[in-house]
mmCIF file of all heavy atoms in Angstrom:
data_model
loop_
_atom_site.group_PDB
_atom_site.id
_atom_site.type_symbol
_atom_site.label_atom_id
_atom_site.label_comp_id
_atom_site.label_asym_id
_atom_site.label_seq_id
_atom_site.Cartn_x
_atom_site.Cartn_y
_atom_site.Cartn_z
ATOM 1 N N ARG A 1315 -45.968 -59.326 -6.326
ATOM 2 C CA ARG A 1315 -44.874 -58.913 -5.460
ATOM 3 C C ARG A 1315 -43.839 -58.123 -6.259
ATOM 4 O O ARG A 1315 -43.715 -58.307 -7.470
ATOM 5 C CB ARG A 1315 -44.176 -60.141 -4.857
ATOM 6 C CG ARG A 1315 -44.862 -60.758 -3.676
ATOM 7 C CD ARG A 1315 -44.934 -62.271 -3.796
ATOM 8 N NE ARG A 1315 -45.852 -62.645 -4.855
ATOM 9 C CZ ARG A 1315 -45.605 -63.608 -5.755
ATOM 10 N NH1 ARG A 1315 -44.482 -64.280 -5.712
ATOM 11 N NH2 ARG A 1315 -46.501 -63.894 -6.692
ATOM 12 N N ALA A 1316 -43.129 -57.262 -5.567
ATOM 13 C CA ALA A 1316 -42.019 -56.526 -6.164
ATOM 14 C C ALA A 1316 -40.919 -56.421 -5.123
ATOM 15 O O ALA A 1316 -41.173 -56.034 -3.983
ATOM 16 C CB ALA A 1316 -42.457 -55.137 -6.614
ATOM 17 N N ASP A 1317 -39.701 -56.790 -5.516
ATOM 18 C CA ASP A 1317 -38.527 -56.600 -4.662
ATOM 19 C C ASP A 1317 -37.816 -55.344 -5.131
ATOM 20 O O ASP A 1317 -37.459 -55.225 -6.310
ATOM 21 C CB ASP A 1317 -37.569 -57.783 -4.763
ATOM 22 C CG ASP A 1317 -38.107 -59.044 -4.114
ATOM 23 O OD1 ASP A 1317 -39.340 -59.158 -3.985
ATOM 24 O OD2 ASP A 1317 -37.298 -59.920 -3.761
ATOM 25 N N ILE A 1318 -37.625 -54.413 -4.218
ATOM 26 C CA ILE A 1318 -36.920 -53.175 -4.548
ATOM 27 C C ILE A 1318 -35.776 -52.979 -3.561
ATOM 28 O O ILE A 1318 -35.812 -53.499 -2.442
ATOM 29 C CB ILE A 1318 -37.860 -51.949 -4.538
ATOM 30 C CG1 ILE A 1318 -38.333 -51.641 -3.112
ATOM 31 C CG2 ILE A 1318 -39.054 -52.161 -5.465
ATOM 32 C CD1 ILE A 1318 -39.120 -50.316 -2.994
ATOM 33 N N VAL A 1319 -34.754 -52.235 -3.980
ATOM 34 C CA VAL A 1319 -33.641 -51.880 -3.096
ATOM 35 C C VAL A 1319 -33.600 -50.361 -2.974
ATOM 36 O O VAL A 1319 -33.531 -49.654 -3.991
ATOM 37 C CB VAL A 1319 -32.307 -52.420 -3.613
ATOM 38 C CG1 VAL A 1319 -31.162 -51.933 -2.722
ATOM 39 C CG2 VAL A 1319 -32.317 -53.945 -3.648
ATOM 40 N N VAL A 1320 -33.672 -49.884 -1.733
ATOM 41 C CA VAL A 1320 -33.620 -48.456 -1.436
ATOM 42 C C VAL A 1320 -32.325 -48.185 -0.682
ATOM 43 O O VAL A 1320 -32.016 -48.881 0.293
ATOM 44 C CB VAL A 1320 -34.830 -48.012 -0.588
ATOM 45 C CG1 VAL A 1320 -34.757 -46.517 -0.281
ATOM 46 C CG2 VAL A 1320 -36.135 -48.355 -1.302
ATOM 47 N N ASP A 1321 -31.586 -47.177 -1.117
ATOM 48 C CA ASP A 1321 -30.331 -46.800 -0.458
ATOM 49 C C ASP A 1321 -30.589 -45.547 0.375
ATOM 50 O O ASP A 1321 -30.763 -44.449 -0.160
ATOM 51 C CB ASP A 1321 -29.251 -46.540 -1.500
ATOM 52 C CG ASP A 1321 -27.874 -46.383 -0.876
ATOM 53 O OD1 ASP A 1321 -27.787 -46.273 0.365
ATOM 54 O OD2 ASP A 1321 -26.886 -46.373 -1.637
ATOM 55 N N PHE A 1322 -30.613 -45.725 1.702
ATOM 56 C CA PHE A 1322 -30.879 -44.608 2.611
ATOM 57 C C PHE A 1322 -29.618 -43.818 2.963
ATOM 58 O O PHE A 1322 -29.686 -42.848 3.725
ATOM 59 C CB PHE A 1322 -31.538 -45.122 3.896
ATOM 60 C CG PHE A 1322 -32.914 -45.683 3.692
ATOM 61 C CD1 PHE A 1322 -33.132 -47.057 3.665
ATOM 62 C CD2 PHE A 1322 -34.005 -44.845 3.516
ATOM 63 C CE1 PHE A 1322 -34.398 -47.583 3.490
ATOM 64 C CE2 PHE A 1322 -35.286 -45.352 3.341
ATOM 65 C CZ PHE A 1322 -35.480 -46.721 3.319
ATOM 66 N N SER A 1323 -28.463 -44.232 2.436
ATOM 67 C CA SER A 1323 -27.216 -43.529 2.787
ATOM 68 C C SER A 1323 -27.168 -42.127 2.187
ATOM 69 O O SER A 1323 -26.344 -41.309 2.599
ATOM 70 C CB SER A 1323 -26.007 -44.341 2.324
ATOM 71 O OG SER A 1323 -25.957 -44.411 0.910
ATOM 72 N N ALA A 1324 -28.026 -41.845 1.216
ATOM 73 C CA ALA A 1324 -28.029 -40.526 0.579
ATOM 74 C C ALA A 1324 -28.772 -39.477 1.394
ATOM 75 O O ALA A 1324 -28.791 -38.300 1.004
ATOM 76 C CB ALA A 1324 -28.664 -40.640 -0.812
ATOM 77 N N TYR A 1325 -29.374 -39.881 2.533
ATOM 78 C CA TYR A 1325 -30.210 -38.963 3.307
ATOM 79 C C TYR A 1325 -29.577 -38.666 4.666
ATOM 80 O O TYR A 1325 -29.054 -39.567 5.329
ATOM 81 C CB TYR A 1325 -31.603 -39.568 3.505
ATOM 82 C CG TYR A 1325 -32.282 -39.906 2.198
ATOM 83 C CD1 TYR A 1325 -32.228 -41.201 1.686
ATOM 84 C CD2 TYR A 1325 -32.957 -38.941 1.469
ATOM 85 C CE1 TYR A 1325 -32.842 -41.527 0.482
ATOM 86 C CE2 TYR A 1325 -33.576 -39.242 0.262
ATOM 87 C CZ TYR A 1325 -33.513 -40.539 -0.218
ATOM 88 O OH TYR A 1325 -34.126 -40.847 -1.419
ATOM 89 N N PRO A 1326 -29.633 -37.417 5.119
ATOM 90 C CA PRO A 1326 -29.066 -37.063 6.427
ATOM 91 C C PRO A 1326 -29.817 -37.762 7.564
ATOM 92 O O PRO A 1326 -30.985 -38.136 7.420
ATOM 93 C CB PRO A 1326 -29.271 -35.538 6.494
ATOM 94 C CG PRO A 1326 -29.501 -35.102 5.087
ATOM 95 C CD PRO A 1326 -30.159 -36.239 4.400
ATOM 96 N N PRO A 1327 -29.158 -37.935 8.720
ATOM 97 C CA PRO A 1327 -29.831 -38.517 9.876
ATOM 98 C C PRO A 1327 -31.102 -37.742 10.230
ATOM 99 O O PRO A 1327 -31.132 -36.509 10.166
ATOM 100 C CB PRO A 1327 -28.783 -38.409 10.992
ATOM 101 C CG PRO A 1327 -27.480 -38.361 10.268
ATOM 102 C CD PRO A 1327 -27.740 -37.632 8.990
ATOM 103 N N GLY A 1328 -32.132 -38.484 10.575
ATOM 104 C CA GLY A 1328 -33.404 -37.873 10.934
ATOM 105 C C GLY A 1328 -34.348 -37.655 9.759
ATOM 106 O O GLY A 1328 -35.516 -37.282 9.961
ATOM 107 N N THR A 1329 -33.870 -37.891 8.544
ATOM 108 C CA THR A 1329 -34.735 -37.734 7.369
ATOM 109 C C THR A 1329 -35.906 -38.704 7.452
ATOM 110 O O THR A 1329 -35.742 -39.861 7.832
ATOM 111 C CB THR A 1329 -33.949 -37.985 6.077
ATOM 112 O OG1 THR A 1329 -32.889 -37.044 5.978
ATOM 113 C CG2 THR A 1329 -34.843 -37.857 4.861
ATOM 114 N N GLU A 1330 -37.075 -38.229 7.087
ATOM 115 C CA GLU A 1330 -38.270 -39.065 7.040
ATOM 116 C C GLU A 1330 -38.689 -39.261 5.584
ATOM 117 O O GLU A 1330 -38.833 -38.308 4.825
ATOM 118 C CB GLU A 1330 -39.407 -38.428 7.841
ATOM 119 C CG GLU A 1330 -39.107 -38.329 9.328
ATOM 120 C CD GLU A 1330 -40.269 -37.744 10.128
ATOM 121 O OE1 GLU A 1330 -41.232 -37.248 9.489
ATOM 122 O OE2 GLU A 1330 -40.212 -37.788 11.366
ATOM 123 N N LEU A 1331 -38.855 -40.517 5.214
ATOM 124 C CA LEU A 1331 -39.367 -40.875 3.906
ATOM 125 C C LEU A 1331 -40.613 -41.728 4.113
ATOM 126 O O LEU A 1331 -40.818 -42.292 5.200
ATOM 127 C CB LEU A 1331 -38.340 -41.656 3.087
ATOM 128 C CG LEU A 1331 -37.010 -40.960 2.790
ATOM 129 C CD1 LEU A 1331 -35.970 -41.343 3.831
ATOM 130 C CD2 LEU A 1331 -36.521 -41.314 1.385
ATOM 131 N N PHE A 1332 -41.415 -41.860 3.077
ATOM 132 C CA PHE A 1332 -42.689 -42.554 3.231
ATOM 133 C C PHE A 1332 -42.927 -43.498 2.057
ATOM 134 O O PHE A 1332 -42.684 -43.145 0.897
ATOM 135 C CB PHE A 1332 -43.843 -41.548 3.306
ATOM 136 C CG PHE A 1332 -43.752 -40.609 4.469
ATOM 137 C CD1 PHE A 1332 -43.056 -39.411 4.358
ATOM 138 C CD2 PHE A 1332 -44.331 -40.931 5.679
ATOM 139 C CE1 PHE A 1332 -42.956 -38.544 5.432
ATOM 140 C CE2 PHE A 1332 -44.229 -40.065 6.759
ATOM 141 C CZ PHE A 1332 -43.544 -38.873 6.641
ATOM 142 N N LEU A 1333 -43.396 -44.694 2.391
ATOM 143 C CA LEU A 1333 -43.978 -45.574 1.383
ATOM 144 C C LEU A 1333 -45.413 -45.110 1.181
ATOM 145 O O LEU A 1333 -46.204 -45.075 2.129
ATOM 146 C CB LEU A 1333 -43.947 -47.026 1.850
ATOM 147 C CG LEU A 1333 -44.605 -48.052 0.920
ATOM 148 C CD1 LEU A 1333 -43.827 -48.182 -0.386
ATOM 149 C CD2 LEU A 1333 -44.736 -49.403 1.604
ATOM 150 N N THR A 1334 -45.767 -44.731 -0.046
ATOM 151 C CA THR A 1334 -47.064 -44.127 -0.307
ATOM 152 C C THR A 1334 -47.796 -44.877 -1.417
ATOM 153 O O THR A 1334 -47.196 -45.565 -2.249
ATOM 154 C CB THR A 1334 -46.925 -42.654 -0.731
ATOM 155 O OG1 THR A 1334 -46.265 -42.585 -1.998
ATOM 156 C CG2 THR A 1334 -46.125 -41.866 0.298
ATOM 157 N N ASN A 1335 -49.108 -44.698 -1.428
ATOM 158 C CA ASN A 1335 -49.971 -45.227 -2.485
ATOM 159 C C ASN A 1335 -50.708 -44.062 -3.131
ATOM 160 O O ASN A 1335 -51.345 -43.266 -2.454
ATOM 161 C CB ASN A 1335 -50.995 -46.212 -1.906
ATOM 162 C CG ASN A 1335 -52.068 -46.581 -2.919
ATOM 163 O OD1 ASN A 1335 -51.771 -46.812 -4.084
ATOM 164 N ND2 ASN A 1335 -53.312 -46.618 -2.478
ATOM 165 N N ARG A 1336 -50.624 -43.961 -4.452
ATOM 166 C CA ARG A 1336 -51.275 -42.843 -5.120
ATOM 167 C C ARG A 1336 -52.485 -43.261 -5.966
ATOM 168 O O ARG A 1336 -53.004 -42.479 -6.744
ATOM 169 C CB ARG A 1336 -50.270 -42.092 -5.992
ATOM 170 C CG ARG A 1336 -49.563 -42.932 -7.032
ATOM 171 C CD ARG A 1336 -48.596 -42.096 -7.838
ATOM 172 N NE ARG A 1336 -47.902 -42.910 -8.822
ATOM 173 C CZ ARG A 1336 -47.247 -42.401 -9.865
ATOM 174 N NH1 ARG A 1336 -47.216 -41.101 -10.054
ATOM 175 N NH2 ARG A 1336 -46.641 -43.190 -10.716
ATOM 176 N N LEU A 1337 -52.929 -44.521 -5.799
ATOM 177 C CA LEU A 1337 -54.118 -44.966 -6.511
ATOM 178 C C LEU A 1337 -55.347 -44.890 -5.611
ATOM 179 O O LEU A 1337 -55.294 -45.294 -4.451
ATOM 180 C CB LEU A 1337 -53.960 -46.405 -6.998
ATOM 181 C CG LEU A 1337 -53.258 -46.644 -8.326
ATOM 182 C CD1 LEU A 1337 -53.385 -48.100 -8.726
ATOM 183 C CD2 LEU A 1337 -53.803 -45.743 -9.420
ATOM 184 N N GLN A 1338 -56.438 -44.438 -6.148
ATOM 185 C CA GLN A 1338 -57.726 -44.379 -5.467
ATOM 186 C C GLN A 1338 -58.597 -45.532 -5.941
ATOM 187 O O GLN A 1338 -58.753 -45.748 -7.146
ATOM 188 C CB GLN A 1338 -58.391 -43.047 -5.813
ATOM 189 C CG GLN A 1338 -59.837 -42.906 -5.338
ATOM 190 C CD GLN A 1338 -59.903 -42.346 -3.925
ATOM 191 O OE1 GLN A 1338 -59.323 -42.925 -3.020
ATOM 192 N NE2 GLN A 1338 -60.588 -41.253 -3.759
#
């Protein structure tokens, strides 16, 4: 497990971000 804190206040309304996986 990993606990992370993401601050979305830096992004304008309507911004789309993604949780992604880059391992195959």
Side-chain angles (χ1 to χ4, degrees):
R1315 280 134 291 137
D1317 290 24
I1318 68 172
V1319 175
V1320 180
D1321 190 349
F1322 293 103
S1323 66
Y1325 303 96
T1329 299
E1330 295 182 350
L1331 300 94
F1332 299 88
L1333 176 67
T1334 66
N1335 169 42
R1336 57 180 179 163
L1337 275 188
Q1338 172 88 303

